[in-house]
Amino acid sequence: MKKSILLILSILSFFISCSNSVTEKVIDNSQLLIPSNTENIKKIVSKEDKIILYITGSSGYIEFSTGDKISFSNLYDKTLRTEIVNNKELDFLYIPLKPFLVITYDDCPESDYSVYTNVHKLYSPVVPAELGLNIGSHALSIDKLKEMVSNGFEIVNHGYSHNRLETVALQKAVKKGEQNIHGWFVHTFLNKAEILIGNDEYKIVSHSSDSEGQYFIVDKPFSKDYEVGTNICLQRKFLENELFGQVENAEKELGTKILNFTYPYTVSDERTRKLINTKYKSSRAYNGLQFNNSKNLTNPGFNFFPFENRYQLNSASFDTDYSEKEIEQLLKVGGGYNAMIILFTHTWDKRFSEKKIKFIIDTANKIGIEISTRSKIWEYYELF
Ligand SMILES: [Zn+2]
């Protein structure tokens, strides 16, 4: 279905490109044409030099000549424009694009429940959010999680034990017989993590630090020298457990499906994303201040239909990255784009405040941005 959506978006962009046009037709940018086989089917028909769009929910049709210029401000993909010219007929649904805000809490400490009772529950209906659950280790009880789920919260998998999933490169060469690895990343590999250094298997047994900084210790002396740049990653089985371990049990216990993922430390690599793709509908990464190092409000945490980046969704941290005033600006800009805005936080962080989360909810409500969760948004756009 996704391909057909692109085809429709592309058919429109094709006509935008016909700049020597005579007339200009404007499509309301709150409208979105989604191909479908449901009973709401309408048609897009290409007849000689005319394109006719029949839209469910509207009484008539829009007719374009190939010379028309079409303004459609929500086009995000213009790459398939030649393919669609030969397409005579496509079915589509009419669904309005609209802005969404996803509020998301990671790691499931007890304080997530306090924020739920002190803020989210004060609204009627309860304002939903996502909870990034470390399935193998979380502080919240099943009863509390179930209560939150029954009020619209979505549980997303945040990794079985919150171990780093992305491959890193060795920063300092090590010698055969040694057992310690130094580096900025060592705290992101947990005790008991089964890792590969190059092609060799080791298990992390403890962490410590010395004058050179933090290091982890592996279970046996290195079998050879490893140069700077040697890859360090999780062994396949250990990685799979981080992504899928105990998920089915958790789903049964919580009475809900776990359909989306959030990368620990917001990082991933291609191997991880390929595996994630086999079960989950999406995964969340980051595009806030750490990457551009400036308060660039053009695209923080914004994701656009048809969500081509579903396995690296943009998100920004609202407690550490932005002031209230900046958040307000961010919501206004993202709302104007009909973006899915993802803002995350850690309620255990000293910089988190309940006042700010209230401000975010009230501002989103004022602007008319629907606060939702990923699964609900995929449902809305029929992206399952
Ligand atoms: Zn986390």
Side-chain angles (χ1 to χ4, degrees):
M1 181 167 113
K2 207 163 141 197
K3 190 162 186 193
S4 315
I5 295 170
L6 290 176
L7 288 178
I8 286 188
L9 292 176
S10 302
I11 208 166
L12 295 168
S13 63
F14 172 76
F15 286 100
I16 284 173
S17 71
C18 301
S19 52
N20 53 346
S21 57
V22 191
T23 50
E24 178 168 354
K25 298 234 166 75
V26 179
I27 296 182
D28 178 350
N29 69 13
S30 69
Q31 295 172 3
L32 173 70
L33 312 176
I34 292 189
S36 173
N37 296 318
T38 73
E39 56 186 16
N40 291 318
I41 283 173
K42 290 286 169 172
K43 307 273 184 197
I44 176 169
V45 181
S46 163
K47 277 183 192 158
E48 292 161 2
D49 63 337
K50 286 198 191 315
I51 296 289
I52 305 170
L53 308 180
Y54 296 86
I55 301 172
T56 302
S58 86
S59 50
Y61 55 85
I62 311 168
E63 191 176 306
F64 302 102
S65 297
T66 46
D68 287 346
K69 182 178 170 193
I70 302 169
S71 299
F72 196 98
S73 59
N74 277 302
L75 285 177
Y76 300 111
D77 188 292
K78 300 180 179 178
T79 56
L80 296 171
R81 62 177 63 158
T82 51
E83 282 186 48
I84 50 80
V85 178
N86 299 323
N87 250 309
K88 295 297 178 202
E89 200 168 299
L90 288 169
D91 298 329
F92 64 89
L93 261 174
Y94 163 81
I95 295 178
L97 275 181
K98 63 179 186 182
F100 286 102
L101 169 64
V102 177
I103 297 167
T104 166
Y105 302 109
D106 285 348
D107 311 340
C108 279
E110 277 289 337
S111 46
D112 283 4
Y113 186 75
S114 320
V115 177
Y116 158 75
T117 51
N118 293 340
V119 182
H120 288 259
K121 235 180 141 177
L122 302 183
Y123 295 83
S124 178
V126 175
V127 172
E130 286 186 6
L131 292 172
L133 184 73
N134 301 122
I135 291 177
S137 59
H138 58 88
L140 281 178
S141 70
I142 293 295
D143 284 347
K144 284 178 177 165
L145 288 169
K146 278 169 95 167
E147 184 195 338
M148 292 156 99
V149 166
S150 71
N151 278 306
F153 275 53
E154 177 174 341
I155 306 288
V156 304
N157 193 346
H158 189 35
Y160 184 80
S161 63
H162 206 281
N163 203 102
R164 171 187 202 84
L165 306 174
E166 186 189 41
T167 303
V168 292
L170 187 62
Q171 287 182 292
K172 181 176 171 269
V174 293
K175 292 252 171 278
K176 181 177 177 180
E178 293 178 350
Q179 252 173 287
N180 298 350
I181 298 277
H182 282 82
W184 59 268
F185 53 81
V186 299
H187 71 284
T188 64
F189 286 94
L190 304 178
N191 280 344
K192 300 197 178 107
E194 292 162 13
I195 59 170
L196 289 175
I197 304 178
N199 295 318
D200 307 321
E201 296 183 352
Y202 298 95
K203 185 173 175 175
I204 296 171
V205 291
S206 63
H207 288 68
S208 191
S209 64
D210 59 18
S211 58
E212 288 175 53
Q214 293 185 319
Y215 61 89
F216 60 63
I217 305 166
V218 296
D219 58 332
K220 60 191 179 203
F222 300 136
S223 58
K224 59 183 186 224
D225 296 350
Y226 296 107
E227 295 305 317
V228 170
T230 304
N231 277 344
I232 303 174
C233 66
L234 296 178
Q235 291 174 32
R236 173 77 179 222
K237 252 190 151 172
F238 193 90
L239 173 63
E240 284 178 358
N241 190 60
E242 287 299 312
L243 306 185
F244 311 118
Q246 295 295 319
V247 170
E248 278 175 30
N249 281 353
E251 286 177 332
K252 261 184 218 154
E253 242 183 332
L254 296 166
T256 187
K257 285 278 175 199
I258 299 175
L259 299 171
N260 296 286
F261 201 91
T262 292
Y263 301 119
Y265 310 101
T266 67
V267 293
S268 65
D269 54 24
E270 208 175 323
R271 176 178 75 144
T272 300
R273 289 193 291 274
K274 268 189 187 154
L275 286 168
I276 286 278
N277 202 337
T278 62
K279 164 165 173 72
Y280 299 97
K281 304 292 179 194
S282 74
S283 189
R284 210 194 80 213
Y286 181 78
N287 76 323
L289 293 179
Q290 282 171 21
F291 286 176
N292 60 22
N293 220 10
S294 71
K295 296 200 172 183
N296 176 357
L297 286 174
T298 54
N299 208 20
F302 296 174
N303 302 278
F304 301 110
F305 179 88
F307 310 110
E308 300 259 274
N309 64 334
R310 266 204 274 173
Y311 293 93
Q312 287 207 81
L313 289 170
N314 294 325
S315 67
S317 163
F318 64 78
D319 52 12
T320 57
D321 290 352
Y322 301 112
S323 66
E324 281 189 1
K325 217 174 164 190
E326 287 162 339
I327 293 274
E328 186 174 9
Q329 192 191 343
L330 183 154
L331 291 174
K332 277 183 183 159
V333 173
Y337 288 159
N338 283 325
M340 172 175 78
I341 306 163
I342 305 181
L343 295 178
F344 71 93
T345 191
H346 302 92
T347 60
W348 49 259
D349 193 305
K350 282 195 190 106
R351 292 164 292 188
F352 171 78
S353 86
E354 290 185 351
K355 184 177 156 279
K356 201 161 183 181
I357 193 76
K358 274 192 192 114
F359 174 82
I360 290 170
I361 292 170
D362 292 339
T363 305
N365 286 340
K366 203 167 70 195
I367 298 173
I369 299 177
E370 184 172 333
I371 302 173
S372 192
T373 64
R374 274 181 269 170
S375 287
K376 287 271 183 297
I377 294 167
W378 305 148
E379 268 175 41
Y380 178 80
Y381 284 122
E382 312 224 338
L383 287 173
F384 275 91

